[in-house]
Every structure is written in structure tokens, then in C-alpha cells.
Amino acid sequence: MTDTKASLAPENLAEFLKLLEEEGNLLTIEKPVDKDTELACIARLCADSLASRKRQAVLFKNVSGFKMPVAVGLFNYKKSYARALACKTEEIFERWSEAMKSQLPPQLLSNSTAAVYEQVWQASEIDLLKLPVPNWTPGKDPGAFFSSACVITKDLDSGVQNMGVYRIQIKGPSSLTVGFGSENQHGCIQMRKFHKSGKPCPVAIVAGSTPAVLFAAAAKTAYGIDELGVAGRLMQRPVKVATGLKVDLLIPAESEIVIEGFIDPDSYTSEGPFGEALGIMSEEGKAPLMRVESISMRKNAIMHGYIQQVPPSEGHLVWQFGVLGPLYYYLKEKAGFLMIKDMGIAPGSAGLSYLLVQISPSSQEEKQRLLSLLSKLQFGQKFVCLLDEDIDIADPLSIQFALSSRVNPEHDIKYITGTTIYQADYSVYAEKSTGAPFRSAIALIDATKKGRAPAIALPSEKYMKAVRDHWSNWALPELKDADEDRIMRFLRS
């Protein structure tokens, strides 16, 4: 890859928005929109209900009562995720493998040159209510939540930082809750270390991060890995950082907004409900309360948020790659499953419950060994399905064809009972579970061809290709690209 600006991953949110606009993938809304009743509804309909060729990221430039614009839907599709890393879609997992092999340490700037410190609110100036943070589930969420904010903490003993994406509810002008969701989250582990020592936990919350920083924050990595180094390797240049104004943490310097403060021991308050990525409303609970000491931002800052709620959404896609990127590296590089070609979550799946693994032809023993390992790794999966290379794992029609034609339920589906998951969904409520972890099971499905396989019932590839090549002769509507067409994929395999 040549070292030109066009081939580099965007260094901040504004750069990425400019790229999307230049490529015709940004929809700008100039008319007034209410952040609490209209914005999320418009964003959801733009993502779900427009024809696929017309779906774009959305920039709300006129949020009623605020000067700051709000950007939504930036990573709704695999292509936009790849664009944010300046790579091809088929290179995303390899980029993740590079980032897991070795991290690229951040580049420390002086605070005077950090864009995120162009404006600083402290003391009486602090007012979270002046930020256009949306209500993401109008009529059901109790207020405004940061849905894509990166929460930065550090280990009390080693000083190694952690960065994760957790839901953040605004509770007042200078307070908010940090919804870690589980005591096993690395940020929560670090907070408890401070609290056990009787100390407040320093926290920085970054809204509107560099895309690669957002992606790394969603990653499921081993404790002790600094996600800023992961982000640097993902974007193939160091993340620029500056020191916190109020907390001893390194802050991504190209961020739009950073909120600094502390979580005191035994400081908890009510939080939620919230429209979760599993497609249901979480219940009200208790969450750590953060007292805000400063709010900093760029001069022309942009608020960014994920749509979550019912899948699919950009929040789901970023979460998906944050889990599957490190998993792909582990399975291929560490466990030696070289037959893996692609991985994904079945379209429309709640959270990460339905894992799809595309493989090259393999022995039954090797396939069973892979399924067995995947049943032991715990990231919320309830279904694990192996698919052949001719099946597009992003296409529901192809997946259903494989399930209905290549699976003998008696032999090709195995159930592992007595497993646990941490995400609450409809099945958890049906079991009347009282708290995480929840009892569950995993279905392991081999949806690959076995033995003698008849030819696919389609015209030969040479005839179909010839017709595609001369498609314009018949003045018919434009076709999908050949690499996105499931018919051509069947014929190539």
C-alpha cells in the first residue's frame, strides 16, 4: 500500500465523513430534527427501510437547540468498515490478525497540539446537557445515552490502559453512569482494583473517536492488551494521544469530545432501561456513577452515536468484527485451522448468538474438532454453523439453502447443554433466570456438503458470465457486482 493520504486510514471522524461524502455515501439532513424523538427514528428507517443501494451514513446538521451536528450509521456495511481501515473487505480479518500479532504504540503529542483540547469546559462551565446526545429508543429509554463512546481506564498496578465501548447514561450536567454490563469486563475489573484500594477510579470517555479506535475498543482481547496499540496496527499508523487534563490517562488526540472524571468507591445509582443490541429493552439496574471534572472538544466537534436495538445495525457490525477479528486470528494462527476462509454473524442475529464459519473442503474429523473448540469459547454463541465456500455468509438466502439441503438433522446437528451466556434475551426470560451468567445450550451445525455432491441446478458459468458481460444490450436494470451475486458464487465453486 503506497504512503499517500488517499491510501491511509482516516485519522479522525471528520476525515472519514469527508471520504463518505466524496464517494456519495453520506446523506446530509439540513432540516431541524429533535434529538429525543426524531433523530433515532430517522436513522433507523434510513438503515432498515431504504432500498439497499440508497442506504448511506447520515449527518444531522441541524439538531434543534444545538449547534453541534450528529453523525449516525457510518459503519452500517462491511464496505464502510473496510473503507475506514483503508483496506478491502476481504482483508479485514488479515488486518485484525496483524493487530493481534503485534500492537503499534501510540504517538504522544503535547497537549497544546491535541485537537481534542481546542475547547475546554471546567468547573462551572461543565454541562453535559449542552451536548446533543440522542435518546436512542424514544418512548422507552429514560433519557440520553452515549452509545458509541470509548471508555478508557487503567490497571492500578501495571498502568496498562483498557478501552471498551459501554453504554453511558447522562444523569445530570456533571454526572453520568458507566454501564459496564458485566463484572468480567476489563474496565470493571480495573475500576474494582482502585476501589479495593480505597481510591477513585480515573475515567476518560471519548465520543467521536477515530474509526480504528472505535473498532479496537469493541475488541475482545486478553487482559493487559492496550487497545490503543491495537488501533494503531489496524490503521497502520500510530494513534496520536495526549495526556488527560484531569486524569492520568492517555487520550486519543484526534477525538471529537473527551469527558474526564472519576468513579468513587460505592458510588452507584439507577441506570437504564436501554434498547440493547440483543433487540430487547434491558431492565433498570444499578451502575457506577462518574463525576465529571472536565469536558474538552474540537472547535467544530461532531457527535457520533451507534444505532443499536434490533439487529442489524452499525453497532452490531462493529461489535461483530471486534469479537471475530481476534477469534479469526486465534483459530487460524494459534489453533491451526487453516481451512477457515471467512467468519460472520448470521444477518439479523441477536448479538453474537449465531456464528457462521466458512471453510474449504475438510475431513469430518477436522470439522468436528473445530466445532468442539468453538463450543468451548464463550462469547454469546448459541448456534455455530459450518458452511462451504460457495455459500455467501452475508446472504440469508444462501444460508437457508445450505441449511435446508446440506443438513441431515439426525447426524449433522449436535447439542451441547449446560453452557452459559451473559447476554439476556427472550430465551433467558422464558427460563425465568435470575441473573448472569444464564444457563443455555449450543447447537453445532455442519451445513457443508458430504460425500458425492450433484452439480448445482443453474446454467453453466460460461453462459451466465457471457450474459452478464453483455447485460447492457437489453437495457435492463443494473445487476449486483459479480462478487456480490450469490448465483455467480454458486457457479464459481
Side-chain angles (χ1 to χ4, degrees):
M1 186 172 285
T2 57
D3 188 21
T4 65
K5 188 171 182 180
S7 64
L8 292 174
E11 200 167 36
N12 54 56
L13 187 63
E15 281 186 10
F16 186 55
L17 287 170
K18 184 178 180 182
L19 285 175
L20 293 176
E21 184 176 30
E22 290 172 350
E23 295 168 358
N25 291 319
L26 180 65
L27 176 64
T28 299
I29 297 179
E30 302 280 358
K31 292 189 175 181
V33 60
D34 187 282
K35 76 175 186 70
D36 293 321
T37 61
E38 297 174 328
L39 189 149
C41 299
I42 294 171
R44 168 58 68 179
L45 290 171
C46 284
D48 270 17
S49 301
L50 291 180
S52 59
R53 291 178 183 272
K54 296 182 179 179
R55 294 174 188 168
Q56 301 163 297
V58 184
L59 181 63
F60 297 93
K61 300 190 77 171
N62 189 354
V63 180
S64 298
F66 301 88
K67 294 181 179 179
M68 188 183 297
V70 177
V72 184
L74 308 188
F75 314 110
N76 273 334
Y77 302 97
K78 197 173 180 179
K79 281 186 176 180
S80 59
Y81 188 101
R83 187 69 184 89
L85 297 179
C87 70
K88 299 177 181 177
T89 55
E90 60 268 27
E91 296 171 340
I92 292 174
F93 281 132
E94 294 305 323
R95 186 67 65 85
W96 268 104
S97 291
E98 293 172 14
M100 298 313 299
K101 286 176 186 175
S102 66
Q103 290 75 57
L104 185 60
Q107 175 188 353
L108 182 62
L109 305 181
S110 65
N111 283 10
S112 61
T113 61
V116 74
Y117 292 144
E118 289 173 346
Q119 298 183 75
V120 179
W121 299 347
Q122 298 188 53
S124 61
E125 298 174 311
I126 294 172
D127 190 353
L128 293 166
L129 305 180
K130 290 182 179 179
L131 302 176
V133 182
N135 183 312
W136 294 105
T137 323
K140 297 179 181 178
D141 285 355
F145 283 80
F146 291 93
S147 61
S148 66
C150 301
V151 178
I152 300 174
T153 54
K154 71 174 181 178
D155 187 275
L156 177 62
D157 301 318
S158 68
V160 174
Q161 292 192 175
N162 179 76
M163 187 167 58
V165 178
Y166 315 112
R167 69 192 200 201
I168 309 295
Q169 183 180 354
I170 294 177
K171 301 297 287 188
S174 60
S175 62
L176 40 76
T177 54
V178 181
F180 289 112
S182 165
E183 290 188 350
N184 294 324
Q185 296 284 9
H186 296 171
C188 189
I189 293 171
Q190 294 181 343
M191 179 191 72
R192 292 203 311 272
K193 276 194 171 186
F194 276 90
H195 290 176
K196 285 180 180 178
S197 299
K199 299 176 181 178
C201 178
V203 180
I205 295 175
V206 178
S209 301
T210 301
V213 171
L214 279 170
F215 301 163
K220 296 300 179 185
T221 60
Y223 187 87
I225 292 180
D226 187 343
E227 284 81 6
L228 287 174
V230 174
R233 189 63 70 193
L234 284 175
M235 65 191 293
Q236 298 190 328
R237 52 174 165 169
V239 176
K240 294 176 181 177
V241 296
T243 54
L245 300 179
K246 295 293 183 177
V247 295
D248 185 19
L249 296 169
L250 295 179
I251 312 295
E254 290 288 328
S255 305
E256 299 296 311
I257 302 164
V258 62
I259 302 164
E260 300 178 44
F262 296 87
I263 299 174
D264 294 312
D266 300 319
S267 181
Y268 288 79
T269 190
S270 62
E271 186 263 3
F274 180 71
E276 276 287 4
L278 290 167
I280 61 173
M281 296 297 299
S282 66
E283 296 178 331
E284 181 178 347
K286 295 288 185 181
L289 183 68
M290 174 178 164
R291 52 181 171 86
V292 177
E293 301 256 319
S294 71
I295 302 175
S296 308
M297 67 193 74
R298 302 170 73 103
K299 283 183 179 177
N300 297 303
I302 302 165
M303 179 61 64
H304 172 248
Y306 291 150
I307 304 172
Q308 297 275 17
Q309 297 87 32
V310 172
S313 73
E314 65 171 328
H316 288 90
L317 187 138
V318 173
W319 184 20
Q320 169 183 324
F321 280 116
V323 172
L324 298 189
L327 180 61
Y328 179 89
Y329 165 73
Y330 169 72
L331 292 173
K332 292 201 72 170
E333 301 289 337
K334 297 296 185 180
F337 289 105
L338 302 181
M339 77 277 212
I340 295 175
K341 298 301 179 183
D342 200 1
M343 299 177 70
I345 302 300
S349 295
L352 304 172
S353 62
Y354 194 166
L355 173 65
L356 305 173
V357 184
Q358 185 190 78
I359 61 172
S360 59
S362 306
S363 68
Q364 285 299 114
E365 292 76 16
E366 192 72 351
K367 288 189 286 185
Q368 291 306 310
R369 193 168 74 88
L370 174 58
L371 286 171
S372 176
L373 177 57
L374 288 170
S375 73
K376 296 171 184 175
L377 302 175
Q378 186 49 253
F379 51 85
Q381 74 278 30
K382 294 194 291 184
F383 304 89
V384 179
C385 183
L386 301 186
L387 295 163
D388 293 305
E389 290 180 89
D390 65 339
I391 300 299
D392 181 354
I393 62 174
D395 175 47
L397 295 178
S398 298
I399 296 166
Q400 292 302 323
F401 176 74
L403 289 171
S404 60
S405 67
R406 301 178 185 182
V407 174
N408 181 331
E410 181 180 359
H411 305 296
D412 298 330
I413 302 178
K414 180 181 179 181
Y415 294 96
I416 307 295
T417 60
T419 63
T420 57
I421 56 175
Y422 280 84
Q423 302 102 308
D425 59 19
Y426 285 113
S427 67
V428 165
Y429 285 96
E431 295 290 332
K432 299 181 180 179
S433 300
T434 56
F438 308 108
R439 285 183 57 80
S440 186
I442 298 177
L444 304 176
I445 308 168
D446 181 358
T448 62
K449 291 179 282 190
K450 296 105 182 161
R452 187 179 69 86
I456 193 80
L458 289 168
S460 296
E461 182 181 10
K462 69 174 183 178
Y463 295 114
M464 292 288 277
K465 186 177 183 304
V467 168
R468 283 188 65 97
D469 290 344
H470 298 90
W471 191 250
S472 60
N473 292 351
W474 295 285
L476 292 168
E478 184 181 355
L479 290 171
K480 295 179 180 178
D481 293 339
D483 60 351
E484 296 178 345
D485 190 331
R486 73 187 189 99
I487 298 300
M488 299 307 296
R489 190 183 191 102
F490 280 135
L491 293 173
R492 287 195 301 269
S493 300

